[in-house]
Amino acid sequence: MGEYIGRFNVIPSLPEKLEPIREIVYNLYWSWNHDAIELFRRMDRKLWEETHHNPVLMLGKISQERLNEVALDDSFISHMNRVYVQLNVYMEEKSWYQKNFNLSGDKFIAYFSAEFGLTECLQVYSGGLGVLAGDHLKSASDLGLPLVGVGLCYKEGYFQQYLTNDGWQQERYEITDFYNQPMTLVTNFDNTPLKIEMDFPGRKVIVQIWKIQVGRVPLFLLDTNVPENSEEDKIITRSLYGGNTETRIQQEIVLGVGGIRALHAMNIIPLVCHMNEGHSAFLSLERIGILIKKHNLTFEEAKDINFYSNVFTTHTPVPAGIDIFPNDLIEKYFGTYYRNELKITDKVFYSLGTILKDKPVTNYNMAHLAMNMAGFVNGVSKLHGKVSRKMWMSGFVDIPFDEIPIDYITNGVHTRSHLSKDMQELLYRYLGEKFMQNPADPDAWKQIDEIPDEELWRTHERRRERLVAFARSRLTKQIVERGGSASELAFAKEVLDVQALTIGFARRFATYKRATLIARDIERLASILGNPDYPVQIIVAGKAHPKDDEGKKLIQELIAISKEPHLRKKIVFIENYDMNIARYMVEGCDVWLNNPRRPLEASGTSGMKIIANGGLNLSVLDGWWDEAYTPEVGWTIGNREEYDNLDYQDEVESRLIYERIEKEIVPLFYGRGEDKLPRGWIAMMKNSMKKLGPVYNSHRMVDQYARKFYFESFSKRMSLMENNWKKGKEFSVWKNHLIQNWDNVKFLSISEEEKNGDLKVGLKYPILAEVELGDLTPDDVEVQLYYGKVDAGAEGSKSFVTMSHVVKKVKSSKYIYRGEIECRDTGQFGFTLRILPKHPMLINPFELDLIKWA
């Protein structure tokens, strides 16, 4: 057959009464509104499941008869109108941001991520990073932040997983039809698609833009699959994390450089850009290019100005998780760009891709580029902040470990997206509107104690029953698809027990997450699971990366174990892990098991999703659990130990898991009185909800990003922009002057004001210092007294006091400073002095990498 010569779109024909549904399905607010989901189910329950919970596709497939039928159903119409009103109220009511801040300007924060996990029908995510980005947008919407999301539109998304008879993972890729998804093409005034052009080696690449409305926040996804592009370029955005290194750099150029261009083409001028992981770091170059072109700034001025309005969040605790491109590939794609647009030498350009100052640069590190370009850098849990400082300390020579400018904001989850309908109704009844509006408000959660134990337990048990029913039906489906026998099918209907203690383990099958740790001693596991009086069962799900054979072997091992006669009904592996399976699991499990090799789990968010649902965590002290754990809210595996011998570590920690389950978890779960309620367990559920619920959610997280980073970088950006970038240019001049004169800065003498032997607690210890500042003045620097206990080691706590400038020596560049150490604790202390840069624009004194120690 020949080529198609024209295209046309067919959309569902809705009876007039049902028109509001069109608006409802195109705003993903429905994905965290149970009432809306119930409405879709009512239209056609079977079709809702078959379309993988995609209301747009469902409307396209539903019969015209059924549409006419529901249009005449008064109760359906009033349900639809109720949802429509909820949506409109949500979109129009005054938000947290409008009430408290309302900075001038609209949509000035742009949040870039390579994946977004919003709901199961939109396959543009692979795992936790994507779901976190989706939750970030949902909470930004709830809080009313002026934020937009930017990502890539993957035609085939992440793979679908199925297993062979012997448990080996196979991948299947499904092509997504964007016209049948809750998304729309961004168009010009004349309804033609809005497109942007990008310069690639020897050609132009054209990009079109899709928009997904996430509550109040728009998410824009870039797509190279347009007729103008060559076949090679059409597939740049084809698959998530697919292809080779060259595909990856192409995708990251489209995301970073194309993302900024797309926003400008839609008249959205981002003043603050947030890079979620290093994939989008090229955006920092494009932002500099725009300032050079539009405002006639030099490269240095533009770089200094942009530095204060870029935020970089790193999610990996290991160097292997970072994108690194060889220089020749970078040269191929950026050679003409940095010479013509940025007007800089290759030496300057390549130094941007590393934080190591003295080594010759052989490759371009995306995390280093992001760190060099962003004034605000953070890890995703308290422990990960520390791990990140360790990982990158070689880039911060002479700076004390705890002062390396890498902050942390612990991840959170969007509570309403991960909360079961049953539990939400219960919580709404006892916690009220306050909890629904702002789950980060600790006061709202205090009422948890008012919930009668029976009600909380019955609600949780109902969710466990649903999980077991779901697992059975999925298992049946898997057996049918594999062509299993009748006896296998009969067996699938009997696996699991709706009343047994249920442990969930669902995540990516990366080897460091140690999926088979619980199966290390099969006999012992069998005795725990097979106890007739106190049964225990395990539900497992997860995908291994297509190229990760080690991860696939772990799945195969688990499948083999689950087929052992004495374990057959006790361990179930659910194929094709996605947001829908995750939902059933976090809503229905009693215990969530997490046993990564510490400290390789940067944050981990799956365990946070069970908190509001009443589940409890059993986890290694890693990521978020390291800071969240107390004995009344859950259990730990080990005590923050790190081992050199990994096999020995696995041996020790698997034994600890068995012991926790046998000695603490099972007795607490089955400790029932006459009323058959596990009162001790319920008390722990309530503690976990009350203490962890208000903290480990994305409202708290996005609120922190806003207050710590977004608003501060917005105000710095505004002040740098005034009067045609006057302050920005002055700052660049000051910075250059400081760098050129830094070598002349030194300590000349240091003396103690009075010698008087040992000091008593409560006294002050005064120090005088004479410093040489060359062409600089006391306005340019800060002189500090730095002190701490002598034997506390590199990571022990230190303090510093800012010294005050007392006199200048006549007609010279020598200055005298004085400071006092307050003696608060006893013991032997050491002190030294240091000189640091000082300027109101600096976020912290270490960002220029200049420090003089005495």
Side-chain angles (χ1 to χ4, degrees):
M1 137 190 176
E3 279 285 301
Y4 288 122
I5 55 165
R7 296 176 175 204
F8 55 94
N9 258 346
V10 182
I11 60 169
S13 145
L14 285 179
E16 203 173 324
K17 267 179 148 176
L18 298 182
E19 263 317 306
I21 284 195
R22 209 185 293 277
E23 212 172 309
I24 294 168
V25 299
Y26 278 104
N27 188 325
L28 287 196
Y29 173 66
W30 63 256
S31 70
W32 67 94
N33 177 346
H34 287 294
D35 214 7
I37 293 169
E38 208 38 59
L39 179 76
F40 302 149
R41 260 207 197 101
R42 259 180 96 163
M43 290 181 82
D44 191 328
R45 186 175 290 267
K46 192 158 166 273
L47 204 50
W48 175 242
E49 294 303 330
E50 279 171 14
T51 57
H52 206 50
H53 303 167
N54 176 350
V56 175
L57 183 57
M58 186 173 85
L59 280 186
K61 290 192 156 192
I62 200 165
S63 69
Q64 207 61 46
E65 292 83 44
R66 176 64 184 149
L67 287 176
N68 298 338
E69 199 177 303
V70 294
L72 297 172
D73 177 344
D74 289 346
S75 114
F76 181 86
I77 296 296
S78 68
H79 185 167
M80 175 192 74
N81 289 335
R82 183 172 75 235
V83 171
Y84 190 54
V85 167
Q86 287 165 358
L87 172 64
N88 285 311
V89 167
Y90 177 81
M91 294 300 283
E92 278 148 33
E93 68 189 344
K94 260 195 133 161
S95 67
W96 167 83
Y97 170 75
Q98 287 166 325
K99 286 178 196 154
N100 296 298
F101 303 96
N102 225 2
L103 311 170
S104 62
D106 185 39
K107 302 284 182 235
F108 59 78
I109 306 160
Y111 179 89
F112 285 72
S113 178
E115 44 171 311
F116 286 92
L118 293 155
T119 184
E120 50 270 27
C121 68
L122 285 162
Q123 294 274 326
V124 288
Y125 66 96
S126 76
L129 178 76
V131 177
L132 173 91
D135 285 358
H136 195 104
L137 297 191
K138 290 172 184 177
S139 278
S141 164
D142 289 344
L143 296 170
L145 279 190
L147 178 141
V148 302
V150 181
L152 295 175
C153 206
Y154 303 106
K155 193 72 181 149
E156 61 178 28
Y158 206 50
F159 69 91
Q160 310 294 313
Q161 172 199 51
Y162 64 101
L163 302 180
T164 59
N165 272 330
D166 61 352
W168 188 255
Q169 169 182 301
Q170 300 283 358
E171 296 90 30
R172 186 178 68 242
Y173 289 90
E174 289 180 358
I175 298 297
T176 310
D177 174 6
F178 299 143
Y179 292 96
N180 267 323
Q181 290 281 355
M183 54 203 279
T184 50
L185 204 49
V186 177
T187 55
N188 298 308
F189 293 115
D190 60 357
N191 272 346
T192 54
L194 175 67
K195 291 178 177 168
I196 55 161
E197 277 191 0
M198 305 193 59
D199 290 311
F200 268 54
R203 64 194 192 277
K204 296 243 187 263
V205 169
I206 310 294
V207 181
Q208 64 181 5
I209 308 158
W210 293 88
K211 175 179 161 189
I212 297 174
Q213 194 63 41
V214 186
R216 300 182 175 112
V217 167
L219 164 62
F220 298 106
L221 300 180
L222 309 172
D223 175 17
T224 60
N225 186 20
V226 297
E228 297 93 318
N229 287 337
S230 69
E231 291 308 311
E232 290 76 65
D233 292 340
K234 280 180 187 170
I235 61 172
I236 293 176
T237 56
R238 185 178 177 94
S239 70
L240 174 60
Y241 302 145
N244 55 17
T245 315
E246 186 144 9
T247 316
R248 180 63 72 93
I249 196 173
Q250 292 174 340
Q251 287 189 341
E252 298 191 357
I253 292 168
V254 171
L255 176 61
V257 179
I260 295 288
R261 286 189 192 170
L263 291 176
H264 278 267
M266 295 181 289
N267 281 328
I268 298 170
I269 310 301
L271 298 181
V272 178
C273 287
H274 185 169
M275 303 172 254
N276 186 40
E277 204 40 279
H279 307 116
S280 57
F282 291 137
L283 71 82
S284 57
L285 303 174
E286 177 66 5
R287 294 189 80 194
I288 291 173
I290 288 174
L291 289 187
I292 294 173
K293 202 184 307 181
K294 283 198 176 158
H295 302 283
N296 259 337
L297 297 174
T298 66
F299 172 78
E300 276 305 317
E301 289 167 343
K303 178 173 173 272
D304 292 344
I305 286 166
N306 269 322
F307 181 80
Y308 293 100
S309 56
N310 285 331
V311 180
F312 168 50
T313 299
T314 168
H315 292 263
T316 175
V318 289
I322 293 165
D323 283 328
I324 294 175
F325 296 116
N327 281 356
D328 52 351
L329 196 59
I330 290 279
E331 187 62 37
K332 176 175 170 184
Y333 283 91
F334 282 97
T336 47
Y337 184 85
Y338 72 74
R339 290 188 185 87
N340 301 347
E341 308 267 323
L342 306 179
K343 305 179 171 55
I344 49 175
T345 63
D346 53 349
K347 190 163 185 268
V348 172
F349 179 71
Y350 283 99
S351 71
L352 301 174
T354 179
I355 54 171
L356 306 172
K357 304 290 174 278
D358 317 318
K359 298 215 171 78
V361 195
T362 52
N363 54 35
Y364 218 74
N365 181 313
M366 295 300 281
H368 289 192
L369 173 65
M371 287 170 81
N372 285 330
M373 295 299 201
F376 301 92
V377 179
N378 71 291
V380 288
S381 68
K382 192 173 179 181
L383 176 63
H384 181 235
K386 194 171 155 185
V387 169
S388 300
R389 290 197 292 275
K390 230 176 226 162
M391 178 159 83
W392 285 315
M393 63 202 249
S394 51
F396 299 92
V397 191
D398 283 347
I399 296 178
F401 180 77
D402 53 350
E403 291 181 288
I404 290 174
I406 298 175
D407 204 341
Y408 77 91
I409 289 181
T410 304
N411 284 343
V413 297
H414 187 252
T415 307
R416 283 183 64 181
S417 290
H418 306 287
L419 184 58
S420 75
K421 182 169 188 263
D422 305 296
M423 194 59 86
Q424 185 176 303
E425 283 167 3
L426 179 69
L427 294 179
Y428 185 66
R429 239 189 0 263
Y430 287 94
L431 313 187
E433 201 56 48
K434 204 174 185 181
F435 161 76
M436 301 296 279
Q437 294 293 339
N438 183 10
D441 179 357
D443 285 349
W445 291 79
K446 283 191 181 133
Q447 304 297 317
I448 289 278
D449 288 331
E450 306 299 309
I451 302 176
D453 284 0
E454 318 47 26
E455 281 199 58
L456 184 60
W457 188 242
R458 294 285 169 268
T459 304
H460 174 64
E461 287 209 295
R462 199 155 56 238
R463 289 311 318 178
R464 191 184 328 106
E465 286 164 17
R466 298 239 172 116
L467 168 61
V468 168
F470 174 75
R472 286 173 179 168
S473 79
R474 284 302 284 254
L475 204 57
T476 307
K477 191 167 156 249
Q478 284 164 212
I479 291 168
V480 170
E481 282 172 6
R482 269 206 306 273
S485 63
S487 64
E488 274 184 286
L489 280 171
F491 164 76
K493 294 189 173 65
E494 295 171 8
V495 297
L496 305 174
D497 167 353
V498 293
Q499 301 198 320
L501 168 63
T502 304
I503 298 174
F505 182 93
R507 46 193 36 87
R508 286 186 301 121
F509 267 65
T511 39
Y512 78 87
K513 295 181 187 261
R514 300 189 295 179
T516 51
L517 197 61
I518 193 164
R520 207 176 151 94
D521 180 343
I522 292 289
E523 295 314 308
R524 187 146 178 206
L525 179 64
S527 79
I528 293 173
L529 301 187
N531 183 332
D533 301 325
Y534 307 120
V536 179
Q537 58 200 14
I538 302 173
I539 300 179
V540 186
K543 296 175 173 180
H545 188 281
K547 296 193 177 82
D548 179 11
D549 278 356
E550 292 308 307
K552 292 183 183 183
K553 277 181 194 147
L554 294 178
I555 295 177
Q556 198 170 27
E557 277 173 52
L558 276 175
I559 296 290
I561 292 160
S562 71
K563 288 179 174 171
E564 301 255 337
H566 50 310
L567 296 173
R568 273 180 71 183
K569 292 185 180 175
K570 305 286 191 178
I571 300 179
V572 170
F573 185 94
I574 304 181
E575 283 175 27
N576 207 19
Y577 183 44
D578 67 354
M579 287 178 81
N580 187 38
I581 292 173
R583 184 177 301 118
Y584 276 96
M585 288 184 68
V586 299
E587 290 174 2
C589 283
D590 299 297
V591 174
W592 197 254
L593 174 65
N594 183 36
N595 44 235
R597 189 166 273 124
R598 186 179 195 269
L600 298 181
E601 189 75 272
S603 171
T605 50
S606 61
M608 300 176 189
K609 293 167 191 162
I610 66 160
I611 295 167
N613 286 301
L616 296 173
N617 279 284
L618 163 62
S619 173
V620 168
L621 288 166
D622 195 6
W624 75 283
W625 193 238
D626 184 67
E627 65 199 73
Y629 167 74
T630 53
E632 65 274 12
V633 298
W635 299 275
T636 67
I637 301 164
N639 245 339
R640 303 191 170 89
E641 300 89 352
E642 288 177 26
Y643 297 77
D644 293 332
N645 180 338
L646 300 184
D647 208 45
Y648 175 66
Q649 175 181 3
D650 291 353
E651 183 58 43
V652 171
E653 289 179 349
S654 68
R655 280 212 298 274
L656 288 170
I657 295 177
Y658 300 134
E659 275 176 21
R660 279 278 189 266
I661 295 173
E662 284 170 340
K663 296 188 174 140
E664 294 175 40
I665 295 175
V666 166
L668 191 65
F669 184 86
Y670 287 108
R672 318 272 168 119
E674 284 186 8
D675 56 9
K676 306 273 194 295
L677 291 177
R679 297 272 180 190
W681 186 276
I682 296 168
M684 205 177 211
M685 283 165 73
K686 287 183 171 178
N687 282 335
S688 165
M689 293 165 94
K690 204 165 50 190
K691 294 194 165 124
L692 306 179
V695 182
Y696 297 97
N697 66 67
S698 51
H699 273 55
R700 183 267 317 149
M701 172 184 87
V702 173
D703 179 317
Q704 278 185 304
Y705 275 110
R707 292 175 200 261
K708 261 180 144 172
F709 299 162
Y710 298 162
F711 299 157
E712 194 185 331
S713 59
F714 174 75
S715 65
K716 283 188 189 295
R717 177 81 178 197
M718 293 310 271
S719 86
L720 288 166
M721 270 163 73
E722 277 166 27
N723 303 335
N724 195 16
W725 310 94
K726 182 168 174 281
K727 276 193 185 159
K729 291 171 183 169
E730 286 168 0
F731 174 71
S732 263
V733 170
W734 173 83
K735 187 177 142 184
N736 278 335
H737 176 66
L738 184 87
I739 291 169
Q740 276 157 2
N741 287 284
W742 195 252
D743 284 347
N744 306 327
V745 173
K746 52 181 170 294
F747 286 98
L748 298 170
S749 68
I750 295 165
S751 55
E752 298 160 38
E753 214 170 40
E754 45 204 270
K755 294 264 192 231
N756 50 3
D758 289 343
L759 294 164
K760 293 195 171 72
V761 169
L763 290 181
K764 296 196 162 138
Y765 181 52
I767 308 278
L768 289 172
E770 187 181 352
V771 297
E772 163 68 60
L773 293 182
D775 281 348
L776 302 176
T777 72
D779 291 339
D780 300 322
V781 299
E782 187 162 293
V783 182
Q784 294 177 347
L785 259 168
Y786 182 84
Y787 61 98
K789 281 208 165 164
V790 172
D791 49 9
E795 288 179 26
S797 73
K798 314 280 189 301
S799 310
F800 63 84
V801 177
T802 301
M803 301 176 78
S804 46
H805 157 234
V806 269
V807 285
K808 174 181 179 178
K809 294 247 172 139
V810 188
K811 287 191 176 160
S812 81
S813 53
K814 298 181 178 64
Y815 298 82
I816 295 191
Y817 279 81
R818 181 179 186 277
E820 297 177 328
I821 297 177
E822 257 190 78
C823 304
R824 291 205 184 105
D825 300 311
T826 54
Q828 193 184 16
F829 285 81
F831 75 90
T832 180
L833 281 74
R834 64 186 186 185
I835 304 173
L836 292 163
K838 182 173 81 179
H839 190 282
M841 195 42 74
L842 296 178
I843 297 166
N844 62 66
F846 305 103
E847 69 194 41
L848 301 180
D849 233 9
L850 301 174
I851 185 167
K852 270 282 157 64
W853 291 93

